[in-house]
Amino acid sequence: MADNDAPRSKDFIREIIEKDLEAGKNDGRLQTRFPPEPNGYLHIGHAKAISLSFGVAEEYKGVCNLRFDDTNPEKEKTEFVEAIQEDIQWLGYTWGNVFYASDYFDQLYDWAVQLIKADKAYVCDLTEEEVREYRGTAGFSEDKRETPAGKNSPHRDRSIEENLDLFGRMRNGEFPDGAKTLRAKIDMAHPNLNMRDPVMYRILHREHFRQGDKWCIYPTYDWTHGQSDSIEGVTHSLCDTSFENHRPLYDWFLDELGAFHSRQYEFGRMTLTYTILSKRFLRQLVEQGHVSGWDDPRMPTLCGFRRRGFTPEAVRDFCARLGYSKGDGVVDLQYLEQCQREHLNKIAPRVMAVLDPIKVVITNYPEDQVDELEAVNNPEDPSAGTRTVLFSRELYIERSDFMEDPPKKFFRLGVGREVRLRYAYYMTCQEAIKNDAGEVIELRCTYDPATKGGDSPDGRKVKGTIHWVSAQHAIKSQVRLYEYLFKDENPKPKDGDWVDILNPESVTVLEEAYIEPSIADAPVGYRCQFERNGYFTKDKDSTPEQLIFNRTVALKDSWKKIQTKNR
């Protein structure tokens, strides 16, 4: 794992930008943009695009604008606009301006008329299915023979006057949804399917969340994208490789219009293991109730990661470590988790919390005595100082820290065994109390008062150190342990059926965890390390009566490794 501050090689996008700036292209100006469609929440895949477009603008003293591609009124909401802005700001970026593609609808309409007059666009009556059928296929069949080209629409040779009349009537709302489209007139035999007379406008009688009922025809993404870049003066339009086959059309429209020619560059897409990065599928998870919402901590959305306790620094570091190349790649989700683990290790205060408690009674400790002990807040950050933890006769420890018949390499507690209580004393288990079912419900132990602080004056050593909380002072809390949402490394939903691929153990809710009282009043989003358990954050569902903590990432467990090795 590379160090967070280690220098990284320059990617091909930055090389292009530097050459353009050195050559004085675009008057030495750099302008990028991030153009999300406001039809859902941003996910971790978007973070890579955001980090590039905003990042290069920062590095080379350019401008990155935020532009909402709001051309589909059926799925877009103000809620999504606000969420996208919040996510970008959370990542630590600031945009130059906020634009909306819908603000360009008048200009786009005028440009469409310009193409009709140049005999470069026509009104087509084919249905969506017929357009797909007429378009044909690209490439070669399995027997290596070239597949048939598309065929011209029967309406392709309409006169300019008829097309102008029909397009105007489309705008005026004279035709029902899907009755007609406006298509560019390019080449139905072109090897790139996107160049086979692509649709520019479709009829859709829906109210737009910003434009109201002004429009009943809406431009497609391909018609909107390049022209919006041109209007705004974008010099470098950075996209992932899914847009590579669209670039010839992007260029064709700008060339035919004679408009300012932005340049599109594509970088490799990122796929994460055990993750789906598709807003359409993520929306299904939300709408079908498989998750609690877009910000469910199991979701790969940025708001989901934020709620789970991830830091923007870790996400940005993850994107920087991956870098940008022309090839698509699959990234192990554990790599992102490790980036987060490294960052939290540096900044997160330590807290003692017992998630699966078993009660301990120290029989030789005075019943009315309470010790105040000093605990280190963060061994990685001396400036974090110390805190006071309370120690009493009755404690809680983790159930996994005790075994009745411990094997050789288990260095924690057992009957007759001595361990060190973190920051406190040496303690020896004398007896395990069981219920009628034979389950251990309580441990009777003794402590050595001479070992206060965790050191023995006679020099004896113990191999095991365990954490604890005072039963008298600890706060009963709910803790949610999150695992991967999907069972498979490469999850693929079939026909909207998620049951077979969802992990039924993606969340475990512990109702009786006990946490030291030092963080009782911590704000929502507070991050800390529960010592020996992992990193956790306070959830927004918390109330004064019920604290709730989400596990962000776990710690490595040497005993678990031994168990796995011995299976």
Side-chain angles (χ1 to χ4, degrees), residues 320-331:
R321 293 187 189 195
L322 293 181
Y324 298 86
S325 64
K326 296 182 180 180
D328 296 345
V330 178
V331 182

Side-chain angles (χ1 to χ4, degrees), residues 354-357 398 477-481 508-513 536 546-547 549:
V354 175
L355 307 187
D356 183 16
E398 294 288 355
S477 305
Q478 183 188 100
V479 171
R480 300 168 179 173
L481 305 180
T508 300
V509 179
L510 306 177
E511 297 289 359
E512 293 192 15
F536 291 77
Q546 173 74 82
L547 292 182
F549 281 84

Side-chain angles (χ1 to χ4, degrees), residues 1-6 8 314 317-318 320-322 331-343 346 556:
M1 185 65 63
D3 185 84
N4 291 19
D5 300 321
R8 300 183 176 93
D317 180 48
F318 170 70
R321 293 187 189 195
L322 293 181
V331 182
D332 195 320
L333 182 54
Q334 292 183 11
Y335 191 50
L336 171 60
E337 292 174 344
Q338 181 60 21
C339 290
Q340 183 56 83
R341 191 176 287 112
E342 290 180 11
H343 185 235
K346 293 179 179 179
K556 295 180 180 178

Side-chain angles (χ1 to χ4, degrees), residues 362 364-365 369 371 373-374 391 418-428 446-462 464-465 468:
I362 305 176
N364 64 332
Y365 190 90
Q369 181 173 316
D371 277 353
L373 305 173
E374 185 178 51
F391 186 89
E418 187 175 47
V419 296
R420 178 189 293 106
L421 294 173
R422 185 107 162 110
Y423 304 119
Y425 300 95
Y426 284 15
M427 181 181 75
T428 302
T446 57
Y447 86 117
D448 183 351
T451 59
K452 186 175 183 178
D455 294 314
S456 174
D458 61 11
R460 74 182 189 276
K461 301 294 184 182
V462 293
T465 299
W468 53 273

Side-chain angles (χ1 to χ4, degrees), residues 120-344:
K120 296 293 184 179
Y122 63 96
V123 173
C124 179
D125 296 353
L126 294 179
T127 65
E128 183 178 352
E129 293 76 16
E130 289 170 335
V131 168
R132 190 179 300 113
E133 178 185 346
Y134 273 58
R135 181 176 290 134
T137 57
F140 297 86
S141 61
E142 292 183 0
D143 59 4
K144 305 302 181 183
R145 289 184 299 176
E146 189 171 358
T147 56
K151 58 182 180 180
N152 289 345
S153 164
H155 315 109
R156 197 174 195 266
D157 295 326
R158 276 175 166 154
S159 68
I160 292 174
E161 291 73 17
E162 184 180 6
N163 283 318
L164 289 172
D165 174 65
L166 290 173
F167 190 48
R169 292 167 64 190
M170 285 172 58
R171 178 178 182 175
N172 291 335
E174 294 186 25
F175 306 111
D177 291 357
K180 299 179 186 298
T181 59
L182 181 71
R183 300 174 64 182
K185 186 185 290 188
I186 307 179
D187 181 2
M188 289 302 294
H190 200 286
N192 186 333
L193 287 178
N194 294 303
M195 300 295 284
R196 295 183 184 179
D197 291 10
V199 172
M200 298 166 58
Y201 277 92
R202 72 277 196 203
I203 301 173
L204 191 62
H205 292 267
R206 299 290 188 280
E207 187 167 308
H208 190 277
F209 77 100
R210 295 187 71 249
Q211 298 289 333
D213 60 0
K214 178 179 178 181
W215 295 90
C216 61
I217 57 171
Y218 288 93
T220 61
Y221 179 84
D222 278 327
W223 173 236
T224 308
H225 182 202
Q227 283 61 260
S228 297
D229 285 347
S230 177
I231 291 170
E232 294 168 11
V234 171
T235 59
H236 297 74
S237 180
L238 309 178
C239 309
D240 67 45
T241 49
S242 64
F243 296 92
E244 186 173 9
N245 287 336
H246 294 255
R247 179 163 26 102
L249 180 56
Y250 180 102
D251 292 336
W252 187 88
F253 279 135
L254 292 176
D255 289 341
E256 292 297 329
L257 293 172
F260 171 76
H261 204 311
S262 304
R263 297 293 173 183
Q264 177 176 303
Y265 301 95
E266 304 89 17
F267 56 88
R269 302 182 74 183
M270 176 187 71
T271 301
L272 271 181
T273 59
Y274 298 97
T275 307
I276 286 178
L277 300 181
S278 161
K279 281 195 288 186
R280 177 170 67 91
F281 286 140
L282 296 180
R283 186 184 302 108
Q284 284 184 15
L285 288 172
V286 174
E287 293 176 350
Q288 294 177 16
H290 298 295
V291 293
S292 61
W294 288 94
D295 68 344
D296 187 300
R298 296 167 294 177
M299 289 279 276
T301 52
L302 293 183
C303 59
F305 278 112
R306 181 163 65 248
R307 185 175 176 185
R308 187 160 171 170
F310 275 68
T311 62
E313 293 87 350
V315 174
R316 289 178 62 159
D317 180 48
F318 170 70
C319 295
R321 293 187 189 195
L322 293 181
Y324 298 86
S325 64
K326 296 182 180 180
D328 296 345
V330 178
V331 182
D332 195 320
L333 182 54
Q334 292 183 11
Y335 191 50
L336 171 60
E337 292 174 344
Q338 181 60 21
C339 290
Q340 183 56 83
R341 191 176 287 112
E342 290 180 11
H343 185 235
L344 287 175

